[in-house]
Amino acid sequence: VQLQASGGGSVQAGGSLRLSCAASRRTFSSYNMGWFRRAPGKEREFVAAIRWSTNNTYYADSVKGRFTISRDNAKNTVYLQMNSLKPEDTAIYYCAASMGWTIRESAYDYWGQGTLVTVSS
């Protein structure tokens, strides 16, 4: 599975962005999808995940209530709607695919190239 993330950019605090992640294979619908991010000087961290079979979602506490993950299996695409953005959300955002339902990076088999989100105060 090849993943292509897009939608990053620069926005002021309080603004919104929507990230997209397009997958190359029809079997995308069988994968659980996640978003991770790496802020400057920090390790990559989990942001959100969506389960392929039930569309159940899970969020990191830091983004809960502000970010929404969704997927469109017909378009082989997963989205991350980010509202009420804060400067601390500045990071490179990565999408990833896993056969397991987990927030652990090591369980994700396929990764997109990342898209940069910059939030200014």
Side-chain angles (χ1 to χ4, degrees):
V1 177
Q2 290 185 325
L3 303 174
Q4 181 73 36
S6 61
S10 296
V11 64
Q12 289 192 326
S16 298
L17 282 174
R18 188 176 81 155
L19 306 183
S20 299
C21 176
S24 62
R25 285 174 53 173
R26 294 182 62 187
T27 51
F28 160 82
S29 61
S30 299
Y31 286 86
N32 301 311
M33 298 298 296
W35 286 96
F36 292 77
R37 67 186 181 186
R38 187 193 304 273
K42 296 186 177 181
E43 294 188 352
R44 190 158 56 185
E45 64 177 3
F46 169 80
V47 175
I50 186 165
R51 198 163 190 169
W52 76 271
S53 57
T54 61
N55 275 346
N56 283 356
T57 56
Y58 189 78
Y59 298 92
D61 287 343
S62 58
V63 307
K64 201 172 295 183
R66 300 187 297 122
F67 290 12
T68 302
I69 187 172
S70 62
R71 66 192 297 161
D72 185 339
N73 289 337
K75 295 183 178 180
N76 287 355
T77 301
V78 63
Y79 303 98
L80 186 68
Q81 177 67 43
M82 305 186 295
N83 298 330
S84 302
L85 282 161
K86 304 175 181 180
E88 51 263 44
D89 294 319
T90 294
I92 300 174
Y93 284 73
Y94 301 88
C95 59
S98 173
M99 294 300 290
W101 178 236
T102 178
I103 67 172
R104 292 186 298 111
E105 275 191 56
S106 59
Y108 283 78
D109 303 302
Y110 303 99
W111 290 83
Q113 83 289 1
T115 185
L116 177 63
V117 172
T118 304
V119 184
S120 58
S121 56

